[in-house]
Structures are given as structure tokens and as C-alpha cells.
Amino acid sequence: MVGKGKVHNNLGELLHTKPLPTGSLKVSVDIALEKDALLPHPDDVSDATLLGDAIGSFVAWPTDLIIVGYETPTKSKAKDKGIAREIESVASQKEIPVAKKTEISKRTGAKKKNPSKYRACLHTYLETTDISDGCVRLIPMDGAIFGFEYAEPLGKVDFDQILYHTQLSVGVINTYMRYLYDKLMGPRGLEQRFSFLNPMKTNLTEMIRKPDEVRTYVVERFMADTDREKLFFLPFNTGDGGHWLLVAINPFKEIVYYLDSLHNDWTTYPAMKTIVDTIIQTVRAQRKIQVPKRKANNITWNRVECPRQRNNIDCGYYTLRFMKETLLMDRTDIPSDYFDEYRCAYYSKDQLDEIKEELCQFIIELQVL
């Protein structure tokens, strides 16, 4: 922690008539705890390169180095030196032995990394916008994510779900899938082995009311990749804001993995199983795969013993972690007793908070607020 200030970022914010550097926010410097700390982006207008030179002015600061609401003592309580923190230089800190640094941090009450800094930051941004008045923000969705290009709207209800840990909407689920696509699939080349199905088009309500439209959409997605094995993630909702679970489909091997954090099985939703089986059979026919009539319905459904939720609101977060952990394992097969590396009875608060932090940081980075 090198200083204190205020975040002033708004949509389209400029810094001294110039666009802000990518991944940075406009910050006013109120206190320099380390005056000799180098600015992440030197100020071209004032030629300031050190934090101490930027007190009272605006600078660009990387979002991943901003912690909102983090309290840091302005003076050290160390009795041996009595050096005021606001005038202590980087050089003088380097002269303190490591052991003494540890002792000083204990005496000054130095805090560990704030586990909710991006949620706090997002909350601060939202207070400066018109979101509370019913306005929305649009998250661009590339056509490669769900097979069609569109913009996902997020409003106050959606943001509150992330900030206050309530049942997740389809908009938040879809936004996190874009996060997985941008941050995991793209950089690791996983889009050749994994794909997403849009849950808005494939929830239980749509399957019952518009089965032909659901079938057409999913068959087209499957047929776009018939020359290689691929796992398709379908976050399935029981309809009208109900329960979330994950259906992962390998149409090449005709295997369906069923991950339900309530530990139900697929017989709970017969309409879902019927339409998924029909879709796989349709793809089989279009691929001209011949099977004996007695094996026409031999589609393998595997119920995975995944971590189990302990309340009635965590299902969405569990579903997102199931997708993330499968991508991290880079496996198109999911073991019946789940992955050894992530096997547990239930996810901890920190594991669920990790999902919320990733969402908040991603939304901030998109600069849609």
C-alpha cells in the first residue's frame, strides 16, 4: 500500500484530455504513504513520475492495484524509529531487516489482501451510475460463445446478486461464461475442446413450450463441430428463476454428464432428458451414424457426485465452479466421483467468493459502467 485517494472513474472518463490506459482508472491522490513510489503511468502533463509529486492531482492507476475501503495507518507505531509513514521512503524501508518488517506489520495492524476488493470497487462504481434508477449495462457476447452475437443486459437486480450473494440470474450466468471464454478458453486454446449452450434458449420452460426451437439451436451447435470430440456446457435452469444445475454433453461419444448440487438425478426433469436424447439422436442421424435399433436409445447418462450445496441459493455459484474446474482440468470426461483435485463435500465461502470476485473484476475491466 503506497497511498490513499479516491476513484473518480465514469464511462468515457478522460485523463488530461487523453483516454485512460487500458485496465486503469482515474484516481485522485490524497495521501502518499510512499512518496518515492513510482507512478504506474507517469503524468505526461506535469512530468510527475513519483507518487509524492502527484498529491492533489489525478493519475491513472491499474484496477488490480486498487483496493476500495482498505484502511492503512498513516503513521507507523514502531517505537524504535518513530518515522512518519507519510514521509518514509522506499529506501529507508529497504534498510529494515525482514524480521523487523514482520514485527512492524504486526504492530501497525497491517491487513492481508482484501478478499472482496473487486466487489467493494464495483459497489463504489455503481453508486455513481444510473443503475439504481432502472438503467442497464450491456455485456457484448461474441458469436463464438453461444453461436450468435448479442448483448447481455445487466441491471441493478443482477449486480445485487453478485454483491449480496443471492440466487443468480441467467444474465450473471452468461456473463461468467464470457469470462471463462475470454480468460480460460481463449488463452489456453480450449475452444477446440469445449463450447457453451445459452441457458436462456435451453431452460426447462423453453424445452416445454418451444421444443422445436430448442432442438434446432442445439443441433446446429453440435453439427458445427462434428469432426472432433467436444464437451458442451449447458447450465440448465428449471424455469422461472428456479434451480441451476450443469448438463455437460459430449455428442461425439453420446455421453451426458449430470452435475446437480442438490444431488437429484435427471429423472427429476424428464422433459429435459427427453429433449437432450432427441437432440443427440438427431445429430447421430445427420452424421449418418448407423446403430442397431435395439441400441437407438443407448445414450449414456452419468450422474456425477459433485460438491453439494448447503442452502437454497448457491446452485448458480456451484454450476459456475463446475464449468471452471472442468476447463482447468482440460478434460472432456468428468469422473463419476468428480475430479480428485476439486473433490469436496461442499464449496467453502472463499471458493464461492472467488466466483464473485472474478465476475466483479471482469465487469470492471470491460469498462461498461
Side-chain angles (χ1 to χ4, degrees), residues 160-172:
D160 284 350
Q161 290 166 2
I162 307 170
L163 296 175
Y164 304 115
H165 194 92
T166 59
Q167 177 81 320
L168 296 182
S169 66
V170 67
V172 175

Side-chain angles (χ1 to χ4, degrees), residues 126 129-137 154-157 159 369:
L126 292 175
T129 71
D130 53 8
I131 295 294
S132 60
D133 297 326
C135 294
V136 301
R137 294 297 183 267
L154 293 183
K156 185 178 187 302
V157 172
F159 290 118
L369 299 175

Side-chain angles (χ1 to χ4, degrees), residues 84-105:
R85 288 293 294 176
E86 61 264 38
I87 63 171
E88 181 184 355
S89 69
V90 173
S92 67
Q93 284 186 14
K94 289 180 180 178
E95 294 169 0
I96 302 175
V98 174
K100 282 194 175 182
K101 277 188 180 180
T102 303
E103 293 169 4
I104 290 174
S105 67

Side-chain angles (χ1 to χ4, degrees), residues 29-52:
V29 180
D30 297 334
I31 298 173
L33 301 176
E34 307 293 347
K35 288 190 174 182
D36 293 341
L38 292 172
L39 292 174
H41 301 285
D43 190 341
D44 295 335
V45 175
S46 64
D47 294 326
T49 60
L50 302 178
L51 188 63

Side-chain angles (χ1 to χ4, degrees), residues 18 47 70 76 88 128 131 138-139 156 175 182 194 266 283 288 301 308-309 322 346 350 361:
K18 295 182 180 180
D47 294 326
Y70 189 104
S76 170
E88 181 184 355
T128 67
I131 295 294
L138 300 177
I139 307 296
K156 185 178 187 302
T175 300
D182 287 6
F194 301 91
W266 55 81
V283 171
K288 299 181 179 180
W301 281 71
R308 185 169 188 166
Q309 70 186 83
F322 296 156
Y346 54 85
D350 288 344
Q361 182 179 3

